[in-house]
Amino acid sequence: MAKEYIDYKETIELFVYSLPSELKNESKTPRINIIFPESAFKLFEYVRDNPFTKEGYIVPDITDKDIEKLKYYNQQDENAPTIYVKNPVRFFELLTELINTILDLKEKYYRGTSGRYVLIHEFKNLLLRMNTSDFTDIEGFFERQIDFLKNNIWDDYIIGGEFISSCHCEGNFEGYQILSYKEYNECWCETSEKISFALYDSEHQNENIQTIPSVLYGLREENGKIVCYIYAIQNPKDAVNNKKITRKLYKINKGIENPNVHPSQVLALKTFIEMLTKLGITEIKVPCIQVLDYRYHQILSDNAKETMKKWTPEVLEELRSNQTLYNKRKLSEYNWDKIWASHVIDREDEIEKAKTEGLFNIFERVADQFDLIEILNDPFIEDEYLNIRIKSVKKLSKSF
């Protein structure tokens, strides 16, 4: 069955009909303002009078009431960050392309879609990636995200069959192969794709594998060069740990007086930088701040706290004492909620530090220890990004 892309007028109708009230709703994502110029409302009125139609689909036609509601939400809330739309036609052209590109990405990773109506709501999730200047250049932000999503470098690294045979070998560490593979990233507040790594030794079946942090990245062309944006270096949720391999990883700290990052992060970033160099990519940008990210994690924390309230000692005692199929399922639900709560409750400060100071520390460590990269600026003060240049291939000879 052929994939059904969303239409330009359909995007406008779905946006006007369903999104305005959710922009102020903090059930999952922070509230925001979107300020449209007067020309946007003329566009909405045109679509109202010339609605999108498609045989076999029910798409809600927008009304005067919907447009008036959007005008109300077009008033700025001083307590919420504000997006300023300069060119409404371009805004919706890019939003349509972005949604269709997300459809392609989901198909590439066999993820399917959540319905045409629901797709428009992924717009809110993408906004979690915005930095300060993106609020006054939303069209430029859309263009960057589209470029990230369309980039197909390393698509052959996507796991297609048996795990080990599908991976690529990026070298060796202490007798273990460094395997790499490309994955879909489910966390919308960072990037949609990541390169993940594992250490593997086929000759020792009982101690043969350990995952190390993934690099969450986006690639796009800027001024004739491919630039790599790196948003995070973090452990996968399904991390595999091996005590013997972990001990060997700490050899990376030899000679380092005050190691302030985990050696597995150092190995992951060093390996990823070498992968970039093989492709001739020499420029890296690391965002200093994602404006909505802190509040987003506060909301996740609050929601998780509320969810855990239902799991009282009395409820858990009843579920455990009477092992019916229903109760087993409820206990499984509780275990998932508990795991999720441990990831998000009261961790917004820790997460923000890991995404800024912690991430910058990893780059500084690799720069100092291996002379692979040069840090070009002082983040926060000189730019919204930590700008990094990868040095020449000759510098890659220094190993662990």
Side-chain angles (χ1 to χ4, degrees):
M1 183 176 178
K3 179 164 60 265
E4 295 285 349
Y5 288 114
I6 197 168
D7 181 85
Y8 172 72
K9 284 202 294 185
E10 185 182 8
T11 299
I12 295 174
E13 288 183 336
L14 288 169
F15 186 97
V16 175
Y17 179 82
S18 63
L19 198 61
S21 61
E22 293 196 17
L23 296 177
K24 308 295 183 180
N25 185 337
E26 291 203 325
S27 62
K28 291 184 179 179
T29 53
R31 70 182 187 274
I32 57 170
N33 306 307
I34 298 185
I35 304 299
F36 286 101
E38 186 60 33
S39 59
F41 294 92
K42 294 179 180 178
L43 175 62
F44 302 151
E45 290 166 1
Y46 170 80
V47 175
R48 175 201 62 195
D49 297 335
N50 301 272
F52 170 77
T53 59
K54 186 177 179 68
E55 185 177 351
Y57 288 89
I58 298 175
V59 180
D61 295 338
I62 58 176
T63 65
D64 288 335
K65 183 179 179 180
D66 297 319
I67 295 174
E68 286 302 315
K69 187 185 294 184
L70 191 57
K71 285 183 178 179
Y72 169 75
Y73 286 110
N74 206 44
Q75 300 174 35
Q76 188 169 352
D77 175 359
E78 293 182 357
N79 295 318
T82 301
I83 294 171
Y84 294 92
V85 177
K86 299 173 184 176
N87 184 334
V89 172
R90 183 63 177 153
F91 174 89
F92 284 106
E93 286 176 345
L94 288 168
L95 181 54
T96 302
E97 184 179 2
L98 181 58
I99 292 170
N100 287 328
T101 306
I102 291 171
L103 280 170
D104 288 335
L105 180 79
K106 287 176 175 287
E107 182 181 60
K108 181 168 73 174
Y109 285 97
Y110 309 102
R111 294 279 167 164
T113 63
S114 52
R116 301 171 72 77
Y117 179 82
V118 177
L119 280 172
I120 193 71
H121 299 289
E122 298 203 12
F123 162 75
K124 285 179 61 182
N125 296 329
L126 282 170
L127 299 183
L128 297 171
R129 304 175 181 180
M130 298 179 75
N131 61 31
T132 304
S133 64
D134 291 329
F135 282 85
T136 54
D137 184 18
I138 185 64
E139 293 84 2
F141 171 76
F142 282 167
E143 289 171 351
R144 186 164 68 250
Q145 297 305 313
I146 290 168
D147 288 345
F148 288 167
L149 294 167
K150 285 186 172 182
N151 190 281
N152 58 10
I153 291 176
W154 294 316
D155 272 6
D156 59 328
Y157 282 48
I158 297 173
I159 301 298
E162 198 275 327
F163 175 73
I164 297 298
S165 62
S166 296
C167 291
H168 289 244
C169 182
E170 304 298 340
N172 291 276
F173 170 75
E174 291 290 321
Y176 293 89
Q177 290 181 316
I178 305 173
L179 302 181
S180 65
Y181 50 102
K182 187 177 180 181
E183 293 187 287
Y184 179 85
N185 184 40
E186 296 180 351
C187 184
W188 281 101
C189 57
E190 286 141 352
T191 59
S192 298
E193 297 183 296
K194 59 185 178 181
I195 290 291
S196 297
F197 300 100
L199 297 177
Y200 174 72
D201 181 359
S202 61
E203 295 182 2
H204 299 84
Q205 296 299 320
N206 295 325
E207 50 188 42
N208 67 342
I209 194 164
Q210 170 159 324
T211 53
I212 60 174
S214 304
V215 178
L216 283 60
Y217 73 97
L219 293 169
R220 73 185 302 239
E221 185 175 322
E222 295 178 355
N223 301 317
K225 294 183 178 180
I226 300 295
V227 177
C228 180
Y229 288 72
I230 295 179
Y231 285 78
I233 299 171
Q234 59 186 217
N235 286 317
K237 290 181 181 179
D238 54 350
V240 177
N241 292 307
N242 181 300
K243 291 183 179 180
K244 182 176 180 179
I245 299 177
T246 299
R247 287 196 296 271
K248 290 189 175 183
L249 280 168
Y250 278 95
K251 292 184 178 182
I252 295 173
N253 288 344
K254 185 178 180 180
I256 304 298
E257 292 185 5
N258 297 302
N260 56 355
V261 298
H262 196 279
S264 64
Q265 295 173 312
V266 176
L267 178 58
L269 179 57
K270 178 179 182 290
T271 304
F272 185 76
I273 288 171
E274 292 178 346
M275 291 173 65
L276 291 175
T277 305
K278 292 173 184 176
L279 296 173
I281 298 171
T282 60
E283 295 184 18
I284 297 173
K285 291 185 176 181
V286 183
C288 296
I289 187 170
Q290 292 167 277
V291 176
L292 301 175
D293 190 73
Y294 188 85
R295 178 59 189 147
Y296 168 66
H297 283 95
Q298 283 183 320
I299 294 169
L300 290 182
S301 175
D302 292 342
N303 290 345
K305 289 176 182 177
E306 193 63 31
T307 297
M308 293 305 293
K309 285 181 181 179
K310 69 183 180 182
W311 301 114
T312 64
E314 293 78 15
V315 168
L316 293 173
E317 176 63 26
E318 171 62 25
L319 294 176
R320 287 165 177 156
S321 63
N322 187 9
Q323 291 289 304
T324 65
L325 179 60
Y326 172 81
N327 285 355
K328 288 179 180 179
R329 288 174 177 170
K330 295 301 289 183
L331 281 172
S332 178
E333 179 186 340
Y334 162 71
N335 287 329
W336 278 111
D337 286 346
K338 184 172 67 172
I339 291 170
W340 174 244
S342 70
H343 283 296
V344 298
I345 287 181
D346 295 332
R347 292 195 62 208
E348 54 268 22
D349 289 313
E350 179 185 342
I351 291 170
E352 181 180 51
K353 184 176 180 180
K355 286 189 170 186
T356 52
E357 180 184 339
L359 185 57
F360 298 159
N361 284 341
I362 302 171
F363 280 94
E364 290 171 358
R365 166 73 179 275
V366 169
D368 292 341
Q369 186 172 1
F370 301 105
D371 197 26
L372 292 174
I373 56 177
E374 179 183 5
I375 295 174
L376 304 176
N377 68 318
D378 189 345
F380 296 108
I381 297 174
E382 300 175 358
D383 198 348
E384 288 188 304
Y385 294 95
L386 175 68
N387 296 303
I388 294 164
R389 181 177 63 84
I390 300 176
K391 296 186 177 182
S392 66
V393 178
K394 293 180 181 178
K395 294 291 184 181
L396 296 177
S397 59
K398 186 173 181 179
S399 188
F400 295 105

